[in-house]
Amino acid sequence: GGGGAEDLDIKTPSISTLGFRPSMGIPNDDTVSIERGKKSGDPWVITVNCPDKSGLGLDICRTILDFGLFISKGDVTHVLCELELNIERVKVTTTPDDRVLDLFFITDNLELLHTKERQGEAYERLRCVLGESCISCELQLADSHHEARKRTSSISPAVAEELFASEYSKKECHMQALSADLTLLKKAAVNVDNSLSPSHTLFQIHCVDHKGLIYDIMRTLKDHDVKISYGRIPEVTKGHRDIDLFLQQKDGKKILDPEREYFICSCLKMEMLHPLRVLIVNRGPDTELLVANPVESSGRGRPRVFHDATLALKKLGICIFSAEIGRYSASDREWEVYRFLLDENCEYQLTTTSARNQIVDRVRRLLMGW
């Protein structure tokens, strides 16, 4: 496609102030410029000028979501994110002598992990964070046995039905009754107008803001081969966003098929209502926290879910006995599933419904940036 420019207003700790507007007079060469806001407190402006492509907005949002968050203190997952190492799967186990063995299955965005320089950088950063608590740190190529186990262990049909449901179940709505956010989330609206532009379909979105909202919208549109030509994404007003997007199909035409239009609107509403799934279940005699999110059509998972979920549990004073990340297919799509086996030795009675509701609510709130 031809060259395109995106002006992005960025304000940490989230991408909630991201906005697109036309940019004129920028050279055709690929450029990225960062400018400080005009006044104190104004968001920074990142201007990206590069050839257009389907999913460009999603790629930009992913990068912002990866690096635009304020982190008050590092941990291992934050270091890996800074190093542009994607966590594909994790196996965390507490040994009988109270030591922890963490296995991170990672891929390198820079594709340089085979070099000694890149490995040395990773070792140095990890040891700096872990300090004297680190007994050993090794980096090696995963063998075929580990690759075969990349998918998550089985989930019972009853749990899968609730975890991957397209809408909140009655049980989950009852669980979240403590949070007024659910009522607001269900009021999300998507209106379509084909009369304002001869070559574009206008999607007008009204919804509650959450961390990664623009990412969720971009991901959904990319998965349906829809391109954003231009749009308006203003500041948050009373916790809500009103977004205007002028869209075209992959062939450059408007979206005129009523069934396709309805399907895209339904998918957008579902992502605004239910971008992340959080559930606590029994796993034998133990208690397990499940967090699930859709995988992009490119095969990449949502950024920082593992980091945010573990941070939420840390703030609650709940230790993780073991953790896994894997993939699961359901509802005609692939999901990334995070499974945390919780340590019973905490201030919460994990077997009670009230305690589980509080944990789910706190974890979901941190994941959503509320």
Side-chain angles (χ1 to χ4, degrees), residues 38 60 79 128 150 161 175 218 254 274 310 328:
K38 294 181 179 180
I60 294 174
V79 172
C128 181
K150 198 171 182 178
E161 182 179 1
M175 283 175 53
M218 300 289 186
K254 300 171 70 171
H274 220 8
T310 53
Y328 194 94

Side-chain angles (χ1 to χ4, degrees), residues 72-229:
S72 59
K73 184 177 180 182
D75 54 36
V76 173
T77 56
H78 177 52
V79 172
L80 294 177
C81 287
E82 284 189 335
L83 289 169
E84 297 190 61
L85 298 173
N86 288 328
I87 303 172
E88 301 292 341
R89 183 173 177 269
V90 177
K91 180 68 175 179
V92 181
T93 306
T94 304
T95 62
D97 58 355
D98 289 330
R99 296 183 180 184
V100 177
L101 174 63
D102 298 340
L103 295 177
F104 290 86
F105 297 86
I106 57 177
T107 55
D108 187 5
N109 285 345
L110 304 181
E111 299 183 351
L112 295 173
L113 206 51
H114 61 282
T115 65
K116 291 184 179 181
E117 292 80 3
R118 180 73 163 146
Q119 293 179 12
E121 179 188 18
Y123 281 133
E124 184 178 348
R125 293 289 300 280
L126 289 170
R127 287 191 175 278
C128 181
V129 169
L130 295 172
E132 296 180 358
S133 64
C134 179
I135 299 174
S136 65
C137 179
E138 299 178 7
L139 186 64
Q140 55 187 256
L141 184 66
D143 58 26
S144 58
H145 172 68
H146 290 131
E147 288 297 315
R149 296 186 59 191
K150 198 171 182 178
R151 301 186 72 84
T152 187
S153 50
S154 61
I155 298 176
S156 71
V159 172
E161 182 179 1
E162 186 167 357
L163 188 63
F164 305 124
S166 59
E167 296 181 359
Y168 279 104
S169 65
K170 292 182 180 179
K171 176 183 176 182
E172 197 169 8
C173 282
H174 177 70
M175 283 175 53
Q176 295 299 311
L178 297 173
S179 173
D181 300 309
L182 248 190
T183 304
L184 296 174
L185 279 176
K186 299 188 79 171
K187 294 182 179 180
V190 181
N191 297 317
V192 181
D193 192 330
N194 271 306
S195 64
L196 290 179
S197 170
S199 56
H200 296 85
T201 298
L202 171 61
F203 271 53
Q204 296 177 305
I205 300 171
H206 174 79
C207 63
V208 174
D209 188 44
H210 68 256
K211 183 169 69 179
L213 170 63
I214 312 302
Y215 165 83
D216 289 324
I217 293 174
M218 300 289 186
R219 170 176 55 79
T220 303
L221 294 176
K222 180 182 178 181
D223 287 349
H224 292 88
D225 291 326
V226 175
K227 182 177 69 172
I228 301 175
S229 296

Side-chain angles (χ1 to χ4, degrees), residues 249-263:
Q249 299 188 103
K250 194 174 183 180
D251 58 7
K253 297 180 181 179
K254 300 171 70 171
I255 305 171
L256 298 175
D257 182 353
E259 291 186 4
R260 177 165 167 75
E261 176 186 298
Y262 176 80
F263 182 65

